Amino acid sequence: MIGLMTPVDFSEMECSVARTLETIGDRWTILILRDAFYGVRRFEDFRGDLGVASNILTDRLQKLVDREILEKRQYEERPPRYEYRLTEKGQELLPVILTMMKWGDRWANSGSTPPVTLTHTTCGHVTEPVVTCSQCGEELRRRDLRAHPITVRGGNPSGELARAETS
Amino acid sequence: MIGLMTPVDFSEMECSVARTLETIGDRWTILILRDAFYGVRRFEDFRGDLGVASNILTDRLQKLVDREILEKRQYEERPPRYEYRLTEKGQELLPVILTMMKWGDRWANSGSTPPVTLTHTTCGHVTEPVVTCSQCGEELRRRDLRAHPITVRGGNPSGELARAETS
DNA sequence: CACAATCAGTTGCATTTTGCAACTGACCGC
DNA sequence: GCGGTCAGTTGCAAAATGCAACTGATTGTG
């Protein structure tokens, strides 16, 4: 088996971010998922697009299958050919990918236009993902959020999330 | 210096997700950011809360400072004490953390209630982050998104993002 | 003043993970 | 029967990570 116990077990942390990282907290894994969202399904296509070593790809795909993010299915018997498709659990990682994409467009793109634009077909416009409140629909800003319960050494007991430097 | 060239240079990939990962694509880094959003600012508090080795923490904080996600400032002269605070660039990673948190709540939480709930003070309700279209405000669903331009081997030329298994 | 404690690290070494390149093996088309 | 594709496996080297111990400035306590 491949998945040895990680030296630090993030899954034991009482935090969903840590547990998410336990599942996808790896550069190649996230890039595999990005490709999967773009429609890539086959081993050789992942390998060719990402330039990842095939042993690493084997390992990551296997872990993603174990964690039910991807489903491996044989779509051809002779010769045996497989494809890896997103499960529902995997599909729901799309917001994570979208928010990373948006951040990278703004902050890690050396001033050029975004390499990939998204069109929202239901309204017909080029769109950007905005993270909003499920209750009122307003954009979620850190200063309007309180986290409960959270007991972090040095953390803010008011639940207020940290604000940016205004030096 | 600590930050050696990574063997695979994600930043050269023509993809904002890859470039975002170049900056924060590391388990500890993301957990440091989570703590930073909760208001943690000092070395020993990060170390104590995360249980991370101090050499690793030194390395990650330094990289985050180099990349202008965190700002290091001395807040006390004698004894010298420092704090690490999110810059605006760092603040804008909040959506990534929020979407990870939401996914973890749903898919990696072994059926219990979320360990941390968020309250949206402007509307007064417990909220969940929803990723919506900047143009029409509707929730972004993969089947309503088209990506352009994208040239990935094996990718879907229609731009349609992958759909889940419906086996 | 001596002594323990806090904060912010550094150093050295062992373990683990990762990358790379080469190889396997089933099949297919010509 | 030869080259090409697909989906990997294997072995070895390089890099990242974890761990524990140590440094050094300072501060609070008796």
Side-chain angles (χ1 to χ4, degrees):
Chain A
M1 286 295 93
I2 298 155
L4 300 172
M5 187 78 83
T6 48
V8 175
D9 191 352
F10 291 88
S11 68
E12 287 193 4
M13 291 192 183
E14 191 53 28
C15 168
S16 291
V17 176
R19 279 193 288 257
T20 301
L21 291 172
E22 180 68 13
T23 310
I24 60 157
D26 168 275
R27 294 157 116 96
W28 288 124
T29 298
I30 298 179
L31 292 173
I32 287 167
L33 289 172
R34 177 206 62 180
D35 271 11
F37 280 111
Y38 283 147
V40 176
R41 298 203 174 103
R42 289 170 11 192
F43 189 93
E44 274 304 307
D45 291 332
F46 285 113
R47 208 202 50 68
D49 182 57
L50 298 174
V52 58
S54 51
N55 54 347
I56 304 294
L57 182 58
T58 300
D59 178 281
R60 296 304 187 279
L61 288 173
Q62 185 56 53
K63 280 179 179 158
L64 285 168
V65 169
D66 291 346
R67 291 160 187 173
E68 300 175 283
I69 308 289
L70 296 178
E71 191 180 16
K72 180 177 184 174
R73 62 151 67 160
Q74 189 165 359
Y75 67 91
E76 197 181 277
E77 281 233 14
R78 312 181 61 76
R81 291 286 179 268
Y82 307 94
E83 61 181 13
Y84 296 88
R85 306 184 65 149
L86 289 159
T87 62
E88 190 201 345
K89 185 175 174 181
Q91 292 283 332
E92 293 204 7
L93 285 165
L94 178 62
V96 177
I97 305 288
L98 289 179
T99 51
M100 281 193 183
M101 193 183 297
K102 182 178 177 180
W103 188 89
D105 286 344
R106 170 128 161 68
W107 293 103
N109 197 24
S110 51
S112 18
T113 51
V116 177
T117 56
L118 295 172
T119 299
H120 190 214
T121 57
T122 54
C123 75
H125 293 104
V126 171
T127 185
E128 283 196 17
V130 179
V131 175
T132 59
C133 173
S134 57
Q135 300 304 302
C136 71
E138 290 296 300
E139 179 168 4
L140 286 180
R141 299 152 153 275
R142 72 204 169 279
R143 65 167 170 274
D144 301 326
L145 286 172
R146 297 291 180 280
H148 307 278
I150 182 70
T151 48
V152 174
R153 269 185 66 198
N156 187 341
S158 76
E160 186 174 7
L161 298 191
R163 277 215 286 262
E165 276 307 285
T166 48
S167 60
Chain B
M1 285 295 93
I2 299 154
L4 299 171
M5 186 79 84
T6 49
V8 174
D9 192 352
F10 291 88
S11 68
E12 287 192 4
M13 289 192 184
E14 190 54 29
C15 169
S16 291
V17 176
R19 279 193 289 256
T20 300
L21 291 172
E22 180 68 14
T23 310
I24 60 158
D26 168 274
R27 295 157 116 97
W28 288 124
T29 298
I30 297 179
L31 291 173
I32 287 167
L33 290 172
R34 177 206 60 178
D35 270 11
F37 280 112
Y38 283 146
V40 176
R41 298 201 174 104
R42 291 170 9 192
F43 190 92
E44 275 303 306
D45 290 333
F46 284 114
R47 208 204 50 68
D49 183 57
L50 297 175
V52 58
S54 52
N55 53 350
I56 304 294
L57 181 58
T58 301
D59 178 281
R60 296 303 187 279
L61 288 173
Q62 185 56 52
K63 280 180 179 158
L64 285 168
V65 169
D66 291 347
R67 292 161 188 173
E68 299 175 284
I69 308 289
L70 295 178
E71 190 181 14
K72 180 178 184 174
R73 62 151 69 159
Q74 189 166 359
Y75 67 91
E76 196 181 277
E77 281 234 11
R78 312 180 61 78
R81 291 287 180 269
Y82 308 94
E83 59 181 14
Y84 296 87
R85 305 184 66 149
L86 289 159
T87 61
E88 190 201 344
K89 185 174 174 182
Q91 291 284 332
E92 293 204 7
L93 285 165
L94 180 61
V96 177
I97 306 287
L98 289 178
T99 51
M100 281 192 183
M101 193 182 299
K102 182 179 177 180
W103 188 89
D105 285 344
R106 169 129 161 69
W107 294 103
N109 197 22
S110 51
S112 19
T113 51
V116 177
T117 56
L118 295 171
T119 300
H120 190 215
T121 58
T122 55
C123 77
H125 292 105
V126 171
T127 186
E128 283 197 17
V130 178
V131 175
T132 59
C133 172
S134 57
Q135 301 305 303
C136 71
E138 290 294 299
E139 180 169 3
L140 288 180
R141 300 152 154 276
R142 72 204 170 278
R143 65 168 170 272
D144 302 326
L145 286 172
R146 297 291 180 279
H148 307 278
I150 182 69
T151 48
V152 173
R153 268 185 68 199
N156 186 341
S158 77
E160 185 174 9
L161 299 190
R163 277 216 285 260
E165 277 308 285
T166 48
S167 62

